[in-house]
Amino acid sequence: MSGILEGKRVLITGVLMESSIAFHTAKLAQEQGAEIILTAFPRPTLTERIAKKLPKPTKVIELDVTNDEHLGRLADVVGEELGGLDGVVHSIGFAPQDALGGNFLNTPFESVATAMHVSAYSLKSLTMACLPLMQNGGSVVGLTFDAQYAWPQYDWMGPAKAALEATSRYMARDLGKQNIRCNLVSAGPIGSMAAKSIPGFAELASVWDTRAPLEWDLKDPEPAGKGVVALLSDWFPKTTGEIVHVDGGLHAIGA
């Protein structure tokens, strides 16, 4: 029986650790039949080492989503490797330390601008860089952390994720005519490298211990990876502008 991504070609960003959602997305995508290519920044060698743990060898290319030169050559590099693309996974987020950890009211705009550029605007710029390779339509899937709420310690990453969610909806509006779907997976907290960069992450994650209807495991990124792979597949052919929660159901519980 073939996998749900059989014959698909997918670009995946954000594979930094074996514990990341992006790594498990890449692993599952390969297991489900996809050809993949990975991007990495600022340390492609780190991603190359992690990529060796995937079921099949895959190319890693350097990509800084704030660098116009990197974005400008992306289609050529990926096209040479895969010929085209059917899916793009945006698993990129960053905020300077002074934009996190309870410093919300004192964060300078320069740090806010960096968080917005890397974490939200890059969904648009990455997709547009890949657009020439998506002549037959496709699926863009990003990762968010529920921006409906103000989370402890999360500070300016919260507005950045809200901007990401709005960006995905506008992209769904404008790219639908090209049969490109744009959706997000809103995942619960995972003990990844990104999480470790958030001061007080344990306090934020502890909310899941008491409120999530389904038991949540900080060490298990696979459920979120499965959500991403499902949205990359043809099993959601008419779903776009959506946010699929893979968070143990916490988003549905008030207290």
Side-chain angles (χ1 to χ4, degrees), residues 142-147 165 184-188 243-247:
L143 287 162
T144 188
F145 190 72
D146 202 331
E165 293 176 8
L184 299 176
V185 167
S186 181
I243 301 175
V244 175
H245 289 81
V246 184
D247 65 350

Side-chain angles (χ1 to χ4, degrees), residues 5-190:
L5 296 185
E6 195 67 39
K8 302 288 188 188
R9 300 155 299 176
V10 182
L11 179 144
I12 301 174
T13 65
V15 175
L16 294 175
M17 298 175 66
E18 197 172 354
S19 61
S20 69
I21 295 171
F23 174 85
H24 283 263
T25 297
K27 177 175 179 288
L28 290 162
Q30 285 189 333
E31 290 172 352
Q32 291 298 317
E35 286 185 85
I36 69 170
I37 191 166
L38 305 180
T39 74
F41 188 80
R43 293 171 59 192
T45 53
L46 173 62
T47 297
E48 286 169 356
R49 289 202 300 272
I50 298 299
K52 290 178 181 177
K53 299 182 180 182
L54 292 169
K56 300 176 185 176
T58 183
K59 185 178 179 66
V60 177
I61 58 177
E62 183 179 23
L63 176 65
D64 175 1
V65 290
T66 68
N67 185 316
D68 288 340
E69 287 186 17
H70 285 199
L71 291 166
R73 64 174 182 251
L74 183 63
D76 288 339
V77 175
V78 175
E80 286 180 12
E81 188 71 17
L82 299 181
L85 281 174
D86 305 288
V88 175
V89 177
H90 180 280
S91 181
I92 301 169
F94 172 77
Q97 283 296 299
D98 62 356
L100 299 164
N103 196 47
F104 185 86
L105 297 179
N106 300 308
T107 303
F109 177 72
E110 291 76 13
S111 295
V112 174
T114 297
M116 291 290 178
H117 192 172
V118 178
S119 307
Y121 182 79
S122 65
L123 179 65
K124 192 278 296 188
S125 55
L126 174 65
T127 301
M128 294 306 292
C130 293
L131 199 60
L133 300 172
M134 304 179 76
Q135 296 299 312
N136 298 316
S139 175
V140 177
V141 185
L143 287 162
T144 188
F145 190 72
D146 202 331
Q148 298 179 86
Y149 306 107
W151 297 102
Q153 311 299 325
Y154 206 50
D155 291 359
W156 281 100
M157 275 303 293
K161 289 297 188 183
L164 175 73
E165 293 176 8
T167 300
S168 181
R169 288 189 288 269
Y170 278 92
M171 285 173 49
R173 182 195 69 180
D174 290 349
L175 294 177
K177 58 183 173 291
Q178 298 178 51
N179 198 32
I180 294 174
R181 296 171 284 121
C182 301
N183 296 290
L184 299 176
V185 167
S186 181
I190 297 294

